Amino acid sequence: VPEVVLGEGKTADQIVAIVRELVAAGDDVLVTRLDDAAARAVLAEIPGLQHHPIARVATFEARPIVAEAIEPVAIVTAGTSDVPVAEEAFQTLRMIGIPATRVFDVGVAGIHRVFGELDVLTKAPAVMVVAGLEGALPSVVGGLVAVPVIAVPTSVGYGASFGGIAPLLTMLNSCAAGVSVVNIDNGFGAGYLAAVINRLALSERPD
Amino acid sequence: VPEVVLGEGKTADQIVAIVRELVAAGDDVLVTRLDDAAARAVLAEIPGLQHHPIARVATFEARPIVAEAIEPVAIVTAGTSDVPVAEEAFQTLRMIGIPATRVFDVGVAGIHRVFGELDVLTKAPAVMVVAGLEGALPSVVGGLVAVPVIAVPTSVGYGASFGGIAPLLTMLNSCAAGVSVVNIDNGFGAGYLAAVINRLALSERPD
Amino acid sequence: VPEVVLGEGKTADQIVAIVRELVAAGDDVLVTRLDDAAARAVLAEIPGLQHHPIARVATFEARPIVAEAIEPVAIVTAGTSDVPVAEEAFQTLRMIGIPATRVFDVGVAGIHRVFGELDVLTKAPAVMVVAGLEGALPSVVGGLVAVPVIAVPTSVGYGASFGGIAPLLTMLNSCAAGVSVVNIDNGFGAGYLAAVINRLALSERPD
Amino acid sequence: VPEVVLGEGKTADQIVAIVRELVAAGDDVLVTRLDDAAARAVLAEIPGLQHHPIARVATFEARPIVAEAIEPVAIVTAGTSDVPVAEEAFQTLRMIGIPATRVFDVGVAGIHRVFGELDVLTKAPAVMVVAGLEGALPSVVGGLVAVPVIAVPTSVGYGASFGGIAPLLTMLNSCAAGVSVVNIDNGFGAGYLAAVINRLALSERPD
Amino acid sequence: VPEVVLGEGKTADQIVAIVRELVAAGDDVLVTRLDDAAARAVLAEIPGLQHHPIARVATFEARPIVAEAIEPVAIVTAGTSDVPVAEEAFQTLRMIGIPATRVFDVGVAGIHRVFGELDVLTKAPAVMVVAGLEGALPSVVGGLVAVPVIAVPTSVGYGASFGGIAPLLTMLNSCAAGVSVVNIDNGFGAGYLAAVINRLALSERPD
Amino acid sequence: VPEVVLGEGKTADQIVAIVRELVAAGDDVLVTRLDDAAARAVLAEIPGLQHHPIARVATFEARPIVAEAIEPVAIVTAGTSDVPVAEEAFQTLRMIGIPATRVFDVGVAGIHRVFGELDVLTKAPAVMVVAGLEGALPSVVGGLVAVPVIAVPTSVGYGASFGGIAPLLTMLNSCAAGVSVVNIDNGFGAGYLAAVINRLALSERPD
Amino acid sequence: VPEVVLGEGKTADQIVAIVRELVAAGDDVLVTRLDDAAARAVLAEIPGLQHHPIARVATFEARPIVAEAIEPVAIVTAGTSDVPVAEEAFQTLRMIGIPATRVFDVGVAGIHRVFGELDVLTKAPAVMVVAGLEGALPSVVGGLVAVPVIAVPTSVGYGASFGGIAPLLTMLNSCAAGVSVVNIDNGFGAGYLAAVINRLALSERPD
Amino acid sequence: VPEVVLGEGKTADQIVAIVRELVAAGDDVLVTRLDDAAARAVLAEIPGLQHHPIARVATFEARPIVAEAIEPVAIVTAGTSDVPVAEEAFQTLRMIGIPATRVFDVGVAGIHRVFGELDVLTKAPAVMVVAGLEGALPSVVGGLVAVPVIAVPTSVGYGASFGGIAPLLTMLNSCAAGVSVVNIDNGFGAGYLAAVINRLALSERPD
């Protein structure tokens, strides 16, 4: 598991100091919620750091991380505006060595798009569903698969979405069993949880 | 259109007095939100009044109301606990002469049930969707039909459903176009609106 | 019905790419929630795109859209600050070919102004009422007309309007029947719904 | 001004003890928020106490209170369920000697009813407007009169009225000037304020 | 009473156009919520317009407004940050010809300061109390005077003041009778109401 | 310090079993939030247990608790309905051996009553202020004393007091320094904290 | 997996009818949220049904369910009032054949109690943490184990716990990674999710 | 005790004027919530003023303040983003002459870090705990020490932390006795209260 540095609320100088120390110690590093200005400053100082601008993260691999040879986690988004949160989860999983598949832009207003991805969803050991607006997608997906569904509300929307309260409540009240919820926009937390669930499967495997 | 008496917050005596006067005037009457005790008291006093206990309404038809010969409105519920609100809407439509079809218990956790009713839904001139818990069903239905969808949040649920706030917000943020929302548990309002929409269709029809 | 592109949350480059593809495919296009900077960038790239700055939308007509020869929908606003939302609805209706009439600045504090427009309101097949502050206007209009009233709360106001919560609650609790509500500032949704209601009237018309 | 005893949250014994002492001291007394059981117990103990069950108050007049010879305050309600709060205000005014006129059941869904009472409203030195549901009536009345409008939200309603939050916010955001607001269901407070405003007029009058 | 133009949400050009027309018609004009940039632009175009930067208003007097020869309204503030709202009220009263006295910075944490102003407060025909933070001052003042108290919550504060919700609730729940409340930061509304109350006193005065 | 048993949410049988065991072990015991029915059942089973019905607590003293010979803590209430919470605090202090003085019914609407108690308040090593409705009293007291003020909001009130939210926010935003807040109706917590503060003073005292 | 019947909101007759049918079909059955009165009525009608009153569930095993031979899930509660929700989860797991261990009454105010159970917690394939009041326990447990933590807020508490909102927010904001949240009081959902996570581990195991 | 000037909401000129006057009068001065731009302007004008940028305060010591020779207050933070609020408290204590020890970055996700500081915590006469996110730390600390715990929620976090509401509610519902709460981000208030508690200890000390 990489060392994780929350970029938000830290100056570029503070991030550089922390990351430099971790890199020197031979750790893998994941910096999250890193805005573009901070990213530029940090990348200029730390050789080998990689920037993933859509996910707003930077990563450092002490040695190349190879994904486990298992079925990938499915990362589902309702709309394109939910992608940054999904990508934060994707990078988190990648840094832990858990493979993931992107299933983007399959919101419930066009329910046939979800069905076109049923094969991917039912094979996955866990499904993460990232959605803003009304946040209905995890309930639909939860009714279609038999594995843990990690619901991630996003702050995408306006008016009565109240910065993500609407999809958060939707997901907490999901009528589908097997669904649990993380904080609004918490892509890292969802990715980490998906990894923990998969590690469990791996560790349970008798040699 | 019948005269409507809101039973909630009135004593049985007050309801009897109002209904008696309306009946004497030759009006059709719809009493809503009538609990069982009040219903018994009122029925004992007003001959010809009919009680619909699940809908919690009583109705009086000055002369038998005959439904228009048009495609029925579809009244969809997510779960069985949403039925009382749906039935209030059904009785409202019936008293205005608009036919309606019940499509009950097709919540999103078993999305195939909605698809089994697609034929009914796409033929209807308007679809009402009644749902508590997370209230995701109107978004799914709204993506499947091309007619007005009237979303009715219900207070069915517990915990973070907050007496219907969760499905209310879900419906207001629906990603499907053509959806509008009425107050929590407002079966009468939804039925009346569906009737108004259909009356419009009727009245626009050139002879 | 045009293809709709939500401008908010997309870069000018992303909007240009999407619109270019739709135009090439021969579609009518409606871009909503387009701020001035993005509008300039997009207009410079897509010939034939029209900007409607008050409505914050851009439109492309593959061939000129001609309005249906029916009574226009009435779009009512309480105050001048509600006009942008009303104009978003107007452009949405125009792109679908449904005529609309503007009845602006007739808030309840000067109730006589509403009465001066009664003739327009009662002839319309549907009335949309756009209001911020206390949002009382849809209740008044709902008591005056017999057609569907689409209430649109706006974020206009300050203090205890809480970004549109006050008029949203007002409209959900409307004592007038026939009123339903869409999300705060959702001019597009209200316009689309008005069009769906009117299309219904049109399609019901026997040949 | 009478001595005021808030009945709510006190036992019948406590109320009897307090009222007995005040009566012995020669005071006028107003007991508010007195439920029926407590009222029976208190009336049995205090001779001369009068019960006003709809207003949920009891009153004692040390000597008969005679109303001032001035234009009466107008007490307006939107619906019949708002009457108990209005009657609490009426009794408060009566005990201070300020005359009041009831203008009940003139909610905005039937706006013509308000206009039928314009003569009464414009003559009143102050207008109190009591309304639940969406609480739109004070804005309409505020646009019609030139005197102080005291808006009283009530907990009448269901669903998204949230026990009176909806009309409270409506009234605080009123677009009509000259409107101020008291607590939900606070008939006493509104009555007292109306009396204070009128006393001011009286006391300013040069002899 | 002057014509009132709400500056917020309007461009300088729009304000200039409206004010120019009113001035040409011979009206007194009060422009509220006018930020510094807009003020500079508007003042450059309208000769005779006066800017009151702390109150964020501009005023035009068709002919000099002379205050009535009556006791001044008391305008009380808890802290210096509440002064802009108080000054908006002061200018509103001034433009209607009602005299007012400033009693600033007498918050409850130093309760002796209120007592030092008792003489002014008890003589005033109405008292306006402007307070943010916990908003306790109107309750204290309401217990000291026998005239109408207009409570104005302000958005001054941080954390759990929630933009003025804390003082708003405090004021609505005031244990002192004779207190009513206007919207958060609504200096104009409070000033107008104070004027209406005083006009009432004036008009009741027999000649 | 006594063993504390929260009575709320436990059956009489459960309380009896727990208290019996504690008494057998020689402990002092404080049972809080004990309703009358449970109290009767528990007292019938545990000899020596004392019931304090207004405080809704029962106490058992293994040997008589003697109060420390120090200045008593002042327990202040705004109104009589706040007394049960104040008494819960009083009993908590008594069981720890800290003396306390009751200063009841000195709400801010009659501010002179607080001043009549200044002598008691300024001598106390800590002041607890218990208030519902608008909860303004701790701010006033906080401005008068130089010792820690423990503010206890109560659920006393109606309408916009929202079960104690109004006084809770008032107290959190107090403009007086030296004030901190405990949960709504938490008399035990306030009493315990006052005791901890006083024990500190005692333990700091060099022998 | 058993058939699940939500008892809440259904009459005893309705529950009997549904359960009878499921039993006849040879299914395992779990009835949740079954109050004592309904339980008595249902048990009288369905032979072989077992009542678990603390968990408020009834169960029917078509044939005896044998737990998998795997490490048990740990079910942790903060206080004794959280036990009913924990027991609902326990029975859910038992009916699916997943073993579970109870680790009750180890709230953070006595943090040493959690440490006394570290051995059990770190061996478990998943840990469920059930807590009301401030809901801090999942964060502490999440920092101690490397497996998925399912956080269940309960409505246990008073005042500012707002029926479970306080622990819900606490858990959503948990600073410990690997934590996800279900609805307030949702013992069934948490149990089902724990089972799904464990089934995953089982099914991943190569034969 | 120093004179305290709240910098927020004041211009640099206003702050300079106030501080200059206080310095001239020979007072110690503490300016809080001073942003960097204002700090630069004020420091250029007032010789001898010291800036503490992390705490966002400036201080002036008329003569060097010497700390009392007592055990220091412990100031605990959960994370590094909570440090500015903690430093505001530290400077407040320092200006009153109360020594304090920083125990930073010991959040509950790594509970062992708290235990490493037990010695410091149990010796302190009062412990202040500053935490954002889920705010669980005061409950843990409250269970470990026997002195007053002052809980300070911070606005650190995102999503469902709602600007500090989550930790505020957590702290108000703390299951540990001896904990009280101040406003979100109120480092000054917490520092002042800690000083008042310690002064109490000092003043109680017999000479």
Side-chain angles (χ1 to χ4, degrees), chain G residues 107-112 115 133-137 139-140 142-144 157-162 165-167 169-177, chain H residues 107-112 115 133-137 139-140 142-144 157-162 165-167 169-177:
Chain G
V108 296
I111 197 76
H112 59 279
F115 287 96
L133 296 170
E134 93 279 56
L137 192 56
S139 293
V140 172
L144 296 173
Y158 63 90
S161 77
F162 300 131
I165 293 181
L169 293 185
T170 306
M171 293 172 186
L172 285 168
N173 286 286
S174 178
C175 55
Chain H
V108 296
I111 197 76
H112 58 280
F115 287 96
L133 296 170
E134 92 278 57
L137 192 56
S139 293
V140 171
L144 297 174
Y158 63 90
S161 78
F162 299 132
I165 293 181
L169 293 185
T170 304
M171 293 171 187
L172 285 168
N173 286 285
S174 178
C175 55

Side-chain angles (χ1 to χ4, degrees), chain H residues 13-200:
Chain H
D13 285 357
Q14 289 175 312
I15 297 169
V16 165
I18 297 170
V19 173
R20 189 169 276 153
E21 197 172 322
L22 294 169
V23 165
D27 290 319
D28 295 329
V29 184
L30 170 67
V31 187
T32 62
R33 299 188 165 245
L34 187 68
D35 65 41
D36 281 357
R40 272 190 301 274
V42 174
L43 285 161
E45 296 288 329
I46 312 278
L49 200 67
Q50 275 210 296
H51 188 210
H52 310 267
I54 295 174
R56 292 164 307 168
V57 310
T59 55
F60 182 88
E61 303 175 44
R63 80 232 90 244
I65 295 169
V66 182
E68 301 279 347
I70 54 173
E71 282 291 338
V73 169
I75 304 181
V76 182
T77 69
T80 49
S81 306
D82 302 315
V83 166
V85 174
E87 286 292 320
E88 186 181 293
F90 183 91
Q91 292 296 333
T92 302
L93 281 162
R94 190 180 66 76
M95 290 297 288
I96 307 180
I98 305 291
T101 305
R102 296 172 176 96
V103 183
F104 284 4
D105 206 10
V106 297
V108 296
I111 197 76
H112 58 280
R113 289 176 295 185
V114 178
F115 287 96
E117 304 284 351
L118 255 185
D119 193 52
V120 172
L121 298 179
T122 49
K123 269 199 208 138
V127 179
M128 183 191 309
V129 188
V130 185
L133 296 170
E134 92 278 57
L137 192 56
S139 293
V140 171
V141 170
L144 297 174
V145 303
V147 295
V149 173
I150 303 167
V152 191
T154 71
S155 55
V156 168
Y158 63 90
S161 78
F162 299 132
I165 293 181
L168 171 63
L169 293 185
T170 304
M171 293 171 187
L172 285 168
N173 286 285
S174 178
C175 55
V179 177
S180 65
V181 187
V182 298
N183 196 359
I184 298 164
D185 292 335
N186 190 2
F188 164 72
Y192 187 92
L193 176 59
V196 168
I197 290 172
N198 276 276
R199 281 267 167 235
L200 175 69

Side-chain angles (χ1 to χ4, degrees), chain D residues 140-154:
Chain D
V140 172
V141 171
L144 297 173
V145 303
V147 295
V149 173
I150 303 167
V152 191
T154 71

Side-chain angles (χ1 to χ4, degrees), chain E residues 133-204:
Chain E
L133 294 172
E134 92 278 58
L137 192 55
S139 293
V140 172
V141 171
L144 297 173
V145 303
V147 295
V149 173
I150 303 168
V152 191
T154 71
S155 54
V156 169
Y158 64 90
S161 78
F162 300 131
I165 293 181
L168 171 62
L169 294 185
T170 304
M171 293 170 185
L172 285 168
N173 286 284
S174 178
C175 55
V179 176
S180 64
V181 187
V182 298
N183 197 359
I184 298 164
D185 290 335
N186 191 1
F188 164 71
Y192 187 94
L193 177 59
V196 168
I197 290 172
N198 276 277
R199 282 264 168 238
L200 175 69
L202 297 173
S203 66
E204 292 272 322

Side-chain angles (χ1 to χ4, degrees), chain E residues 107-112 115 133-137 139-140 142-144 157-162 165-167 169-177, chain F residues 107-112 115 133-137 139-140 142-144 157-162 165-167 169-177:
Chain E
V108 295
I111 198 75
H112 58 280
F115 288 95
L133 294 172
E134 92 278 58
L137 192 55
S139 293
V140 172
L144 297 173
Y158 64 90
S161 78
F162 300 131
I165 293 181
L169 294 185
T170 304
M171 293 170 185
L172 285 168
N173 286 284
S174 178
C175 55
Chain F
V108 296
I111 198 75
H112 58 279
F115 287 96
L133 294 171
E134 92 280 57
L137 191 57
S139 294
V140 172
L144 296 173
Y158 63 90
S161 77
F162 300 130
I165 293 181
L169 294 185
T170 305
M171 293 173 187
L172 286 167
N173 286 285
S174 177
C175 55

